[in-house]
Amino acid sequence: MEKQRNTIEFEVYGDYALFSDPVTRVGGEKSSYHIPTYEALKGITESIYWKPTIKWIVDAVRVMRPIQTETKGMRPIGYNGGNELAYYTYLKDVCYQVRAHFEFNLNHPELEKDRNENKHHNIAKRMVARGGRRDVFLGTRECQAFVEPCVFGEEKSYYDDMPGEVAYGFMYHGITYADEAELPEEKDKMTVNFWRPVMQKGGIIEFLRPEQCPEKRFVKEMKRTVFGQGNFTGLQEFEGEEVTG
């Protein structure tokens, strides 16, 4: 696995995680995949640092602790009001190493002047060291998480001595919104991506890029957001950081 330019590496951990399988949510109950989804890890990375000038590509994740589940009885608010008893199956005591890199989002030509590679990379690394700029959670809001810098591949994983590989079959990868669409057929659309991940020795899962996913479903038509002075204060929110970048 070749390390890309503009890479950040971090460890994210927490007591619980819920990377919910969409199939189990129809009846109001949730059950977690055994491994994190691309979309969940991308969301964590964006919580560390994000501006619309860039887009994050998650390259790989490394599962550090044994995969364990715990089922809890919950009382979520029902669609018709009131509370209903439901069972949520969480992953517990989780820890992952993540490697991701950013690229400029060419779908936003209005932000061309903000395409300073070193600036964004330096800020991103500082935000990793600070534990992220915004709240970090593992799949869902009640699963609070913490971020620390790491070197991907270092430290011992529970799966370092795993014989062979583990294939997880057909699985949700993530969503491509119009703002980040790469392929011509995905422009001005919301697209859901699926793939078939494999966990290799060491607990490592290497991700396909969203546009490389073999199975796609087009959900709806949508237009990209045009960012400007009137609708995105974040254009200035890192000015203090950028001076020291």
Side-chain angles (χ1 to χ4, degrees), residues 10 36 38 45-46 53 102 113 131 143 156 169 188 196 224 233 235:
F10 60 89
Y38 179 95
T45 310
E46 290 179 342
T53 313
F102 72 81
K113 292 182 179 179
C143 298
K156 181 173 176 57
D188 298 323
R196 291 172 172 78
R224 73 171 182 88
T233 58
L235 285 172

Side-chain angles (χ1 to χ4, degrees), residues 1-242:
M1 179 180 55
E2 183 180 352
K3 188 173 180 178
Q4 302 293 320
R5 291 177 58 172
N6 305 328
T7 291
I8 60 171
E9 296 175 336
F10 60 89
E11 188 170 86
V12 58
Y13 57 93
D15 294 334
Y16 292 98
L18 179 56
F19 309 114
S20 55
D21 182 345
V23 174
T24 67
R25 299 180 67 168
V26 177
E29 301 188 341
K30 300 178 183 179
S31 180
S32 180
Y33 285 118
H34 282 185
I35 57 175
T37 62
Y38 179 95
E39 188 74 13
L41 295 176
K42 183 183 177 191
I44 291 170
T45 310
E46 290 179 342
S47 292
I48 294 170
Y49 173 65
W50 178 81
K51 287 182 79 174
T53 313
I54 65 174
K55 63 178 180 179
W56 286 105
I57 305 295
V58 181
D59 300 305
V61 64
R62 184 174 179 230
V63 182
M64 302 299 289
R65 296 176 185 166
I67 297 170
Q68 307 174 78
T69 61
E70 181 178 317
T71 300
K72 298 182 180 184
M74 310 291 285
R75 287 198 172 275
I77 298 175
Y79 289 112
N80 298 319
N83 296 99
E84 301 173 350
L85 178 62
Y87 290 98
Y88 290 7
T89 301
Y90 295 85
L91 297 174
K92 67 175 184 177
D93 190 24
V94 299
C95 180
Y96 308 104
Q97 289 183 347
V98 181
R99 174 182 283 175
H101 74 279
F102 72 81
E103 299 173 359
F104 291 127
N105 190 342
L106 303 182
N107 288 319
H108 291 300
E110 70 276 12
L111 302 177
E112 184 176 3
K113 292 182 179 179
D114 193 39
R115 293 176 189 167
N116 184 321
E117 187 174 323
N118 291 331
K119 177 188 76 175
H120 291 297
H121 194 203
N122 288 335
I123 297 173
K125 288 187 290 185
R126 285 199 294 273
M127 293 300 156
V128 170
R130 294 181 187 181
R133 181 166 170 80
R134 297 178 174 85
D135 290 346
V136 177
F137 50 93
L138 288 156
T140 186
R141 176 61 69 175
E142 69 262 27
C143 298
Q144 191 73 28
F146 303 93
V147 165
E148 294 178 358
C150 77
V151 177
F152 191 93
E154 290 190 356
E155 302 182 25
K156 181 173 176 57
S157 164
Y158 180 81
Y159 297 97
D160 282 346
D161 301 320
M162 178 182 73
E165 301 176 335
V166 178
Y168 283 93
F170 189 73
M171 181 174 164
Y172 169 76
H173 181 279
I175 297 175
T176 299
Y177 296 96
D179 291 72
E180 297 190 351
E182 289 280 342
L183 302 176
E185 60 269 26
E186 295 180 359
K187 297 291 185 181
D188 298 323
K189 292 183 177 67
M190 175 181 174
T191 307
V192 181
N193 307 309
F194 299 90
W195 72 314
R196 291 172 172 78
V198 174
M199 186 166 74
Q200 305 165 14
K201 185 175 181 179
I204 295 174
I205 301 162
E206 297 183 18
F207 288 102
L208 294 177
R209 293 172 61 100
E211 62 268 21
Q212 294 174 335
C213 287
E215 301 285 343
K216 298 177 180 292
R217 298 291 184 273
F218 297 112
V219 178
K220 64 178 182 179
E221 302 285 334
M222 68 183 303
K223 296 294 184 182
R224 73 171 182 88
T225 302
V226 178
F227 291 98
Q229 300 296 331
N231 67 345
F232 184 58
T233 58
L235 285 172
Q236 286 82 37
E237 70 175 331
F238 285 98
E239 281 186 347
E241 291 287 341
E242 292 167 1

